[in-house]
Amino acid sequence: MGKPTGFLEFTRELPKKRDPQERIHDYKEIEMPFSEQDSQRQSARCMDCGTPFCHSGCPLGNIIPEFNDAVYEQNWEYAYEILSSTNNFPEFTGRICPAPCESSCVLGINKPPVAIEFIEKSIAEVAFERGYIKPTPPTKRTGKRVAVVGSGPAGLAAAAQLNKAGHTVTVFERADQIGGLLRYGIPDFKLEKWTIDRRLAVMEAEGVEFKTGVNVGVDLKAKELTEQFDLVMLTGGSTVPRDLPIPGRELKGVYPAMEFLSQQNKRVSNRPVEVDHRGVAYNDGDIWATGKNVVVIGGGDTGSDCVGTSNRHGATSVTQIELMPMPPKERATNTPWPNWPMMLRTSTSHEEGCERYWSINTKAFIGDENGNLKALRIADLTWQNEGGKMQMVELPGSERDIPCELALLAAGFLHPEHNGLLDDLGLEFDDRGNVKTTHYQTTTNPKVFAAGDMRRGQSLVVWAISEGREAARAADCYLMGETMLEAKAVSMLATV
């Protein structure tokens, strides 16, 4: 540890954010610059806790105390060496990860936890700025060809690791740009896209080939794919949105959240917005929140992103509703440290302006004579014990209509698209509709592997990176009979 008394001397500090009334007029990242000295002070708060539970909180098993110590000593190159040994893309997780590691921080038992996510971002940015991040192509190629289908965080991590192992990797993406959810899901005000392009340039220089606009299963048939490559890694994500099949769903003005978000990301990047990631034209063209009463249905991160984007469009009002009850404002007793806490979270998008309501049931979309959405019919819910089970029931007399010209469905995703490639490959699916695997290897074809949301269901970017790394290790072992790729660190909780 760098400073034994650091956690006593310094308080938790994060970069200041731009004023909400300023930032809602652009799509730039909201955090202001933070100095290296500020990062050093925050890393000094990492204490000699003996058993670093943050390791187990991080899906990647990042070696957090060690890189904190290196930052405190201002040894940034060594800090990046430690961090990059477990995380291929700290510049992404340092911006958009909810930081489950911080919820497991020992200091967080009775003080604000160490600002681990911010320190990760600092290490990555300093490493790029000083030239520590350079292309390192493998010294020897194995002669094996690998196809990675899908270029989100799982696909990029798998590609980087398999290329590192010496295989010749081609990444296929059906959209017009590489990045998957990073590119066309997460708004620019959370993750500016130059960060993706910067990393892709490194990967290309290392020998990874990227092919966009290729809908594998249509443009490149499943049989051709398995014949042309020694191994196929499926990392296409969970892309089938959870719908809300209630009266009025067909009205103009009701859309899946991802259509709304991806269109705006394309506008920021000066890309055409007429078609979706599959090249299919949108039914109603451009989706704008300008001058509309917007209701976001769903209380998660995607819903929050819709709130921030709607405010930037100049919506008349923005409301977010959630079926479940309001979480507690502090860590719930049923999710004690070091678990990820069930508690109320207020995002930077919420700070910019949003009415939030919980225990709300959406009963119908109400339209005008021209088929346009004009209102939502909602009702309040409460929990009652019925036959020993808690059930949600509607409060009598609470049904009402609220103005709404744009409803965004942000209730999550069900599973990957089965039609096309997955069915053509003859894959099996689990009970939730995800690709069924054993140690990342599909159960029906030994040369086809799967990772990320396509395999485990919708989850965090940090979990996708972890999945990609672990699947790459399993794939390398299948191709070569052994692997030198790094294994995920063993959870420290196992030793307690």
Side-chain angles (χ1 to χ4, degrees):
M1 62 185 300
K3 190 172 180 61
T5 59
F7 69 98
L8 297 172
E9 297 177 31
F10 306 116
T11 59
R12 176 182 168 98
E13 290 183 51
L14 295 174
K16 290 188 170 49
K17 297 175 175 60
R18 294 190 292 134
D19 183 85
Q21 295 310 308
E22 170 199 335
R23 67 192 194 223
I24 61 170
H25 297 294
D26 62 50
Y27 291 87
K28 301 294 184 183
E29 288 184 13
I30 66 176
E31 289 185 346
M32 299 173 72
F34 213 50
S35 72
E36 292 181 16
Q37 289 69 35
D38 292 327
S39 303
Q40 184 185 32
R41 279 197 302 273
Q42 291 306 299
S43 64
R45 298 184 69 240
C46 187
M47 58 194 291
D48 189 10
C49 58
T51 301
F53 281 76
C54 54
H55 284 195
S56 63
C58 175
L60 287 162
N62 282 343
I63 311 169
I64 295 165
E66 283 75 5
F67 70 60
N68 279 335
D69 181 65
V71 170
Y72 178 75
E73 298 295 340
Q74 297 288 276
N75 191 344
W76 292 94
E77 186 170 14
Y78 184 48
Y80 181 74
E81 181 182 332
I82 296 169
L83 178 54
S84 62
S85 70
T86 56
N87 185 355
N88 298 79
F89 313 121
E91 67 272 28
F92 303 155
T93 54
R95 286 173 164 85
I96 57 176
C97 186
C101 54
E102 294 184 12
S103 297
S104 302
C105 175
V106 172
L107 182 58
I109 294 174
N110 61 356
K111 288 180 178 289
V114 176
I116 301 168
E117 180 190 18
F118 159 69
I119 294 169
E120 278 194 28
K121 177 184 176 182
S122 300
I123 293 170
E125 293 309 312
V126 170
F128 271 111
E129 182 182 334
R130 297 188 181 181
Y132 300 150
I133 301 176
K134 301 174 182 176
T136 53
T139 56
K140 184 180 178 181
R141 291 289 177 184
T142 64
K144 303 290 187 181
R145 301 183 69 227
V146 176
V148 176
V149 182
S151 69
L156 292 178
Q161 292 297 99
L162 288 165
N163 181 71
K164 180 179 179 180
H167 308 304
T168 301
V169 180
T170 302
V171 179
F172 294 96
E173 171 57 59
R174 62 182 174 182
D176 58 351
Q177 287 187 291
I178 295 294
L181 181 73
L182 299 170
R183 177 76 64 178
Y184 285 140
I186 298 169
D188 289 69
F189 54 81
K190 289 174 64 176
L191 180 72
E192 290 190 52
K193 306 316 171 197
W194 60 263
T195 60
I196 305 173
D197 297 332
R198 180 177 63 179
R199 177 59 69 173
L200 294 179
V202 174
M203 294 179 66
E204 284 184 306
E206 291 175 334
V208 178
E209 182 182 15
F210 296 102
K211 291 188 176 183
T212 58
V214 181
N215 190 352
V216 180
V218 177
D219 305 317
L220 178 62
K221 299 296 185 183
K223 187 173 185 296
E224 297 173 299
L225 186 71
T226 53
E227 287 176 349
Q228 293 177 21
F229 292 90
D230 298 291
L231 186 137
V232 175
M233 180 70 70
L234 301 175
T235 57
S238 180
T239 53
V240 177
R242 180 175 284 106
D243 206 352
L244 190 57
I246 58 176
R249 172 61 182 87
E250 76 287 350
L251 292 170
K252 185 175 181 179
V254 184
Y255 305 104
M258 204 51 66
E259 285 190 18
F260 177 67
L261 295 174
S262 62
Q263 280 195 12
Q264 184 53 48
N265 282 12
K266 287 184 176 183
R267 292 187 194 101
V268 175
S269 299
N270 294 316
R271 313 291 291 192
V273 300
E274 291 81 11
V275 297
D276 66 11
H277 57 279
R278 299 165 297 176
V280 178
Y282 291 110
N283 290 331
D284 299 327
D286 282 12
I287 306 171
W288 287 94
T290 312
K292 296 176 181 177
N293 295 292
V294 178
V295 179
V296 179
I297 303 174
D301 289 340
T302 301
S304 170
D305 294 343
C306 289
V307 169
T309 302
S310 296
N311 278 319
R312 283 161 177 76
H313 280 194
T316 298
S317 69
V318 183
T319 303
Q320 186 174 23
I321 60 177
E322 166 65 58
L323 186 71
M324 300 302 290
M326 180 178 176
K329 293 183 179 180
E330 303 295 336
R331 183 191 284 266
T333 55
N334 63 344
T335 54
W337 180 91
N339 296 308
W340 175 251
M342 172 63 70
M343 60 185 292
L344 179 66
R345 291 176 171 83
T346 299
S347 72
T348 54
S349 292
H350 294 137
E351 293 169 357
E352 293 164 359
C354 174
E355 295 292 329
R356 304 170 74 187
Y357 299 96
W358 290 264
S359 298
I360 299 292
N361 184 30
T362 307
K363 302 185 71 174
F365 300 106
I366 311 299
D368 62 17
E369 61 277 7
N370 296 316
N372 297 307
L373 179 68
K374 70 174 185 178
L376 248 61
R377 182 158 297 154
I378 63 173
D380 296 327
L381 298 171
T382 187
W383 288 85
Q384 291 184 2
N385 192 326
E386 296 185 0
K389 292 184 178 180
M390 297 300 292
Q391 302 284 346
M392 283 189 297
V393 295
E394 184 177 316
L395 278 175
S398 67
E399 183 176 290
R400 60 200 182 275
D401 292 354
I402 60 173
C404 176
E405 295 84 42
L406 177 62
L408 299 170
L409 308 181
F413 297 86
L414 298 174
H415 49 67
E417 296 171 33
H418 296 173
N419 260 347
L421 176 63
L422 302 189
D423 283 343
D424 291 347
L425 287 169
L427 302 182
E428 288 186 315
F429 304 102
D430 63 20
D431 293 340
R432 295 186 297 157
N434 299 315
V435 175
K436 192 174 182 179
T437 64
T438 301
H439 302 300
Y440 302 96
Q441 190 173 38
T442 61
T443 56
T444 56
N445 191 326
K447 68 186 293 185
V448 178
F449 286 64
D453 290 3
M454 180 171 275
R455 189 193 77 90
R456 67 174 277 124
Q458 68 164 28
S459 191
L460 306 173
V461 167
V462 67
W463 265 116
I465 296 172
S466 174
E467 285 267 313
R469 289 175 61 89
E470 293 300 299
R473 195 169 188 274
D476 184 40
C477 196
Y478 166 79
L479 289 170
M480 306 304 294
E482 60 181 1
T483 182
M484 297 297 290
L485 293 174
E486 301 92 338
K488 181 178 177 180
V490 176
S491 169
M492 297 302 294
L493 286 177
T495 66
V496 178

